Amino acid sequence: MKQQIHYVRQFGESWPLSKAAIVLALISVAAIYAFNVASHEQLKVFLLFVAGVCGLLAFAILTHLPQLKRAARATRTGRRVQGMLHLTVDRSDSENILIVGSLQEGSATWQLHFGKPMGWTPQSGEWPCHLVMLADDPIPALVELNQGLLFPTSKSHKVFSQNA
């Protein structure tokens, strides 16, 4: 887990991912322009390929960067809530593994949906964990287990008990 925290901090705090995304986007735009002015068919195919790959990489970085920054900040300043995570890992679709869990916090239950973890594969079961919250976020920034880190997605939410 310490190695994963190091990677989260490295990518979320110090590594210039946003600059890399801008450079990739600029390369994509330049390749599209060159595609439009090129006359050789093989060159056009290559330029279209470069534009597509660079554009997709820039998009992927920009969509995941806010979550990485949030998680990095949570490793340093987050409020930790200790609990027992009831984790379910559905591998029925090998391409899209579904990882969901629930955690009781007082009279409320967190229904958590997780993205793909970095460097490990979780197993179904009950696991002691820390739910790490940031003061300005409605959902947890991350969940720390002894085995590794899990990153809740925006589908995660809190359900309040009717008995409270």
Side-chain angles (χ1 to χ4, degrees):
M1 181 175 66
K2 288 183 181 185
Q3 185 68 29
Q4 289 178 358
I5 290 173
H6 170 73
Y7 284 138
V8 166
R9 287 178 178 169
Q10 181 181 4
F11 292 127
E13 293 174 344
S14 60
W15 208 57
L17 280 175
S18 56
K19 292 176 185 163
I22 291 169
V23 168
L24 287 166
L26 290 173
I27 291 171
S28 182
V29 169
I32 290 170
Y33 174 76
F35 169 81
N36 284 327
V37 298
S39 58
H40 194 276
E41 276 308 304
Q42 288 178 329
L43 179 60
K44 287 182 111 173
V45 169
F46 175 73
L47 290 169
L48 197 57
F49 173 76
V50 168
V53 169
C54 289
L56 285 173
L57 284 173
F59 178 75
I61 290 170
L62 291 174
T63 57
H64 286 82
L65 190 58
Q67 183 179 9
L68 273 174
K69 286 183 176 185
R70 233 175 101 232
R73 195 175 73 187
T75 63
R76 297 191 191 279
T77 64
R79 176 179 62 92
R80 284 163 171 72
V81 176
Q82 189 170 354
M84 190 64 81
L85 178 67
H86 304 276
L87 194 64
T88 304
V89 181
D90 181 2
R91 291 183 176 83
S92 58
D93 179 1
S94 62
E95 293 293 317
N96 296 304
I97 296 173
L98 180 65
I99 306 168
V100 295
S102 63
L103 184 133
Q104 192 73 32
E105 181 188 10
S107 63
T109 303
W110 280 102
Q111 298 295 325
L112 302 165
H113 297 259
F114 299 104
K116 186 175 187 309
M118 291 182 356
W120 73 292
T121 304
Q123 302 297 318
S124 295
E126 289 191 23
W127 306 101
C129 70
H130 286 100
L131 192 68
V132 185
M133 305 287 297
L134 291 171
D136 56 345
D137 283 342
I139 61 171
L142 58 95
V143 175
E144 295 176 342
L145 288 89
N146 288 336
Q147 300 86 341
L149 302 176
L150 291 172
F151 303 95
T153 67
S154 59
K155 292 181 184 177
S156 300
H157 60 280
K158 197 181 228 183
V159 178
F160 293 95
S161 173
Q162 298 288 338
N163 301 334

